[in-house]
Amino acid sequence: MQLTVTTLSDQMFSLDVSDDLELENFKALCEFETEIPSSEIAILWNGRPLHDNKRTLKDYGIKNGDVLLLQQITGNQGQALGFGQQRQQQQGGPLSIDFGSIAIPGGSGAHPAVGRNQPPRSPQEAMEDPKSVRDILLASPHELSILKERNPELADALLSGSLERFTQVFRRQQKERHDKERERMKLLSANPFDPEVQKLIAEEIRLKNVESNMETAMEFAPESFGQVVMLYIDCYVNGHNVKAFVDSGAQMTIMSQSCAERCNIMRLVDTRWAGIAKGVGTQKIIGRVHLGQIKIGKDFLQSSFSILEDQPMDMLLGLDMLKRHQCSIDLKRNKLVIGTTGTETPFLSEGDLPEHARLNGASGTTPSRSETEKEDQQLAQALAKSAQEAAQFGAGPSGAVLGSSSTPSGASSSASPFPEAVISRLMASGFSREQVIEELRAQNGNPEAALGVLLAKSLKFP
């Protein structure tokens, strides 16, 4: 049966024990969890202290799911609770049981016996030791899950398997906490009407309100702390199966370079639409496929793709494609409805998602500060390189922001994919640079045809 043990210091843990377990052995299990000697442990059930160490839990009437209170007692407290005779038997009686060699179920090994001349460590001392804290967290899946939610950095160090790394992070956070507490006590001992002290008090009140709000949410809306599966659908591009992410918050449809190569559409990429995409991180835009077909169900839908160089997801269906085909995201039936055709396709379950999109995958991780700084440096380098390359052709840098429409680098009036010698020769006939470039583009770069059209347009009849 499973019993929950709580202490006056709000420490709580669960034990899986047999109902035939004697009280003295149950105290030994509690000693392993709390570092309190079993001779100083008092167990109370329903407000009643349990005196006889030889009686079993079943004899006391304890059942599965019950909550027991553990209290550390001194001599006077033991007399008050009726444990005086029991403690006298334990300390001076002929019977002396050493529980140190008993293997604790679910534990990492036997609890070392405490010598007579060596006082046991207090719970406070145990919580200051990184190895003890690490062993406790590894032995408790519940505490580990809370640590992942409230202290991801320490949880990552714990799961890395390196005691040295865990100790380093633990000591650093411990020092920061002590320094903050020392600064807090220093300010509070100063003039209470000092503006800095008032700010500190206001911040403490705010943090207490935040903590209270979180506790209320955990009690009445625990589902708000869970993660949801993102919306993916199965589709086909050029006959190749692709798991596409449906994102109504992105303005344009994007595809990764690896997916475009797999679908054999890299030959259609217009590199004039290259640039830099910055959203959550930075990405390099290779170019754009102006027209392609996506097969969803039995329908073939037209769409354009912006090709990103280093994109973890294969394809993202943006708002441009969703609005063009009047798509509806039906969360009640968990389906994507194509408004122009009436086709319905279900969203994929978690087991069918790509590895990076699952709840236990990389999508649930939070980028560290070093990763964010590295991405910012990469963005700055990419923009500087783009500006340098564009300056060689007399144009400013081209770029795009993820989720917004981009402008091709060749659309500028001062930049052109045509040779400067051809442009200068046509401009010598009295036409402006904009007119020459526009007509060369219309005539597919043929200078003779462009000159003929320009001359024809310049003719004025009476």
Side-chain angles (χ1 to χ4, degrees), residues 175-187:
K175 182 178 182 300
E176 292 175 355
R177 185 169 59 253
H178 289 168
D179 291 345
K180 185 177 179 180
E181 181 65 18
R182 185 164 54 250
E183 186 68 20
R184 170 179 169 273
M185 297 304 297
K186 180 180 178 181
L187 287 175

Side-chain angles (χ1 to χ4, degrees), residues 261-319:
E261 293 173 350
R262 192 168 67 247
C263 297
N264 299 322
I265 61 173
M266 284 296 293
R267 56 189 173 83
L268 301 176
V269 175
D270 186 352
T271 57
R272 294 176 299 175
W273 291 70
I276 298 296
K278 180 172 174 62
V280 182
T282 59
Q283 298 284 343
K284 179 181 178 181
I285 300 177
I286 298 176
R288 179 178 179 180
V289 176
H290 297 294
L291 185 62
Q293 283 189 335
I294 305 175
K295 182 183 178 184
I296 301 178
K298 297 181 180 180
D299 299 333
F300 289 87
L301 307 178
Q302 296 178 350
S303 180
S304 58
F305 311 102
S306 294
I307 309 301
L308 271 61
E309 183 179 44
D310 187 17
Q311 171 66 23
M313 66 182 67
D314 286 340
M315 187 167 68
L316 181 148
L317 301 181
L319 196 60

Side-chain angles (χ1 to χ4, degrees), residues 187-314:
L187 287 175
L188 291 180
S189 62
N191 183 10
F193 298 102
D194 186 89
E196 293 298 327
V197 177
Q198 291 294 317
K199 288 181 181 179
L200 180 62
I201 295 175
E203 180 64 16
E204 287 197 353
I205 294 175
R206 188 190 70 85
L207 292 178
K208 286 184 179 180
N209 291 336
V210 170
E211 189 71 19
S212 175
N213 181 263
M214 186 183 72
E215 292 176 357
T216 303
M218 293 179 68
E219 181 177 359
F220 296 102
E223 66 277 2
S224 62
F225 293 91
Q227 293 180 331
V228 296
V229 178
M230 303 304 287
L231 304 179
Y232 278 79
I233 61 170
D234 261 329
C235 62
Y236 290 85
V237 178
N238 202 18
H240 296 267
N241 179 252
V242 177
K243 298 183 186 298
F245 173 48
V246 180
D247 186 4
S248 61
Q251 289 185 341
M252 64 183 182
T253 299
I254 65 174
M255 178 181 287
S256 66
Q257 181 182 3
S258 60
C259 181
E261 293 173 350
R262 192 168 67 247
C263 297
N264 299 322
I265 61 173
M266 284 296 293
R267 56 189 173 83
L268 301 176
V269 175
D270 186 352
T271 57
R272 294 176 299 175
W273 291 70
I276 298 296
K278 180 172 174 62
V280 182
T282 59
Q283 298 284 343
K284 179 181 178 181
I285 300 177
I286 298 176
R288 179 178 179 180
V289 176
H290 297 294
L291 185 62
Q293 283 189 335
I294 305 175
K295 182 183 178 184
I296 301 178
K298 297 181 180 180
D299 299 333
F300 289 87
L301 307 178
Q302 296 178 350
S303 180
S304 58
F305 311 102
S306 294
I307 309 301
L308 271 61
E309 183 179 44
D310 187 17
Q311 171 66 23
M313 66 182 67
D314 286 340

Side-chain angles (χ1 to χ4, degrees), residues 54-128:
K54 295 300 180 182
R55 293 183 64 182
T56 64
L57 301 179
K58 183 178 180 181
D59 294 338
Y60 280 112
I62 300 175
K63 300 180 292 298
N64 180 39
D66 284 355
V67 179
L68 305 178
L69 174 65
L70 184 150
Q71 183 177 357
Q72 184 177 11
I73 57 175
T74 60
N76 295 334
Q77 292 174 335
Q79 294 290 342
L81 291 174
F83 289 97
Q85 183 179 0
Q86 171 192 337
R87 287 173 54 82
Q88 183 179 359
Q89 292 176 356
Q90 290 179 352
Q91 295 176 356
L95 184 60
S96 178
I97 301 177
D98 180 16
F99 296 105
S101 60
I102 298 179
I104 307 301
S108 58
H111 179 56
V114 179
R116 294 181 179 272
N117 298 329
Q118 181 181 3
R121 291 188 305 172
S122 65
Q124 182 67 24
E125 293 175 346
M127 294 308 294
E128 296 289 333

Side-chain angles (χ1 to χ4, degrees), residues 144-161:
L144 182 58
S145 64
I146 295 178
L147 183 69
K148 289 180 181 179
E149 178 183 336
R150 300 188 179 183
N151 195 339
E153 183 184 10
L154 189 61
D156 291 342
L158 175 67
L159 297 177
S160 67

